């Protein structure tokens, strides 16, 4: 009787409790797997977003470089800098297309040169940013011409069309290969001055290059007389474009 009262009875856990503990472990492992998968997906998404951001940043950088510096404008020709893109011949050009086979073909030169129109009326030649910008080429040779000096500039209103023009001239040394080689030749540059009605911005258009030649009047007086009393005329030899720089 006393032995029966002192014994301890151990009651086993119900079978379904063992099952609940085992299922909780499976669920935890499953959640860990899902969390790991979500983390990998998040990392992949972050890489994609970072790549897109970097690409957009590069595109913005390229667009900024392409746009470059703000456009330079002038409302006055005084103290203004310009780049001239020219193409002209070393002699006058017959624009009537009636040359015969004995006519010497004109030699054309093209290139760029920078100038500054100063307030006191002088025209100064500026250095180009690079050697490639300063290229002056001849159509059939590597020989180049040389701008030795630019003369003063002026503005005037034409009596013929009542439009405003800017005029200046330059002494140009032709290469030895040119048939007109010798002393520097003076070329005259003329461009129309266009002024915007709203902003007063100045643009130049219709640039022509001419040279003065002594001529014999064909049965009458025409052209202009030079200082020596010899009849002279400005003859067309090319064109140029002039933009702010």
């Amino acid at each position: 009787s006393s032995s029966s009262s002192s014994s301890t009875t151990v009651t086993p856990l119900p079978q379904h409790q063992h099952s609940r503990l085992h299922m909780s472990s499976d669920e935890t492992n499953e959640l860990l797997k899902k969390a790991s998968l979500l983390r990998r997906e998040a990392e992949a998404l972050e890489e994609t977003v970072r790549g897109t951001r970097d690409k957009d940043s590069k595109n913005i950088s390229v667009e900024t470089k392409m746009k470059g510096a703000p456009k330079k404008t002038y409302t006055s020709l005084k103290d203004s800098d310009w780049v001239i893109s020219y193409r002209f011949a070393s002699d006058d050009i017959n624009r009537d297309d009636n040359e015969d086979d004995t006519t010497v073909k004109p030699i054309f030169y093209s290139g760029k040169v920078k100038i500054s129109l100063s307030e006191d009326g002088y025209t100064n030649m500026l250095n180009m940013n690079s050697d490639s910008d300063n290229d002056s080429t001849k159509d059939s040779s590597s020989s180049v011409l040389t701008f030795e000096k630019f003369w003063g500039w002026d503005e005037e209103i034409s009596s013929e069309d009542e439009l405003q023009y800017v005029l200046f001239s330059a002494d140009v040394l032709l290469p030895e290969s040119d048939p007109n080689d010798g002393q520097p030749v003076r070329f005259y540059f003329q461009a129309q001055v266009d002024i915007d009605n709203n902003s007063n911005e100045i643009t130049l258009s219709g640039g022509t290059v001419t040279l003065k030649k002594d001529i014999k009047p064909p049965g009458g007086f025409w052209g202009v007389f030079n200082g020596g009393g010899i009849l002279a005329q400005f003859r067309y030899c090319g064109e140029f474009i002039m933009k702010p720089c």
Side-chain angles (χ1 to χ4, degrees), residues 104-224:
V104 177
K105 297 291 184 182
I107 299 176
F108 284 88
Y109 298 88
S110 60
K112 293 182 180 180
V113 63
K114 283 185 178 181
I115 63 170
S116 176
L117 305 179
S118 64
E119 186 175 2
D120 55 11
Y122 287 96
T123 306
N124 303 308
M125 188 159 45
L126 304 176
N127 292 327
M128 301 296 286
N129 294 331
S130 65
D131 292 339
S132 61
D133 287 337
N134 202 24
D135 281 345
S136 173
T137 60
K138 191 175 81 170
D139 286 4
S140 58
S141 170
S142 59
S143 300
V144 298
L145 53 77
T146 303
F147 286 89
E148 289 200 330
K149 178 180 176 62
F150 277 86
W151 295 89
W153 67 276
D154 194 11
E155 287 182 89
E156 70 174 33
I157 297 177
S158 172
S159 59
E160 296 181 0
D161 54 20
E162 297 184 351
L163 297 176
Q164 187 173 348
Y165 292 87
V166 59
L167 306 97
F168 55 89
S169 59
D171 289 345
V172 177
L173 185 63
L174 302 172
E176 295 181 358
S177 57
D178 194 288
N180 297 302
D181 171 49
Q183 296 296 321
V185 180
R186 184 164 300 179
F187 290 88
Y188 297 83
F189 296 76
Q190 173 180 299
Q192 181 177 323
V193 179
D194 302 311
I195 302 177
D196 186 270
N197 292 330
N198 297 321
S199 64
N200 289 328
E201 177 186 348
I202 290 177
T203 55
L204 303 177
S205 62
T208 57
V209 185
T210 58
L211 69 145
K212 191 187 295 184
K213 299 197 72 174
D214 296 338
I215 57 174
K216 295 180 180 180
F221 294 101
W222 55 284
V224 294

Side-chain angles (χ1 to χ4, degrees), residues 90-107:
S90 58
D91 205 346
D92 63 304
I93 302 171
N94 188 344
R95 291 191 286 181
D96 296 332
D97 295 329
N98 57 358
E99 298 177 350
D100 53 35
D101 295 337
T102 61
T103 304
V104 177
K105 297 291 184 182
I107 299 176

Side-chain angles (χ1 to χ4, degrees), residues 188 212 214 224-234:
Y188 297 83
K212 191 187 295 184
D214 296 338
V224 294
F225 285 98
N226 64 18
I230 302 175
L231 191 63
Q233 186 185 44
F234 289 99

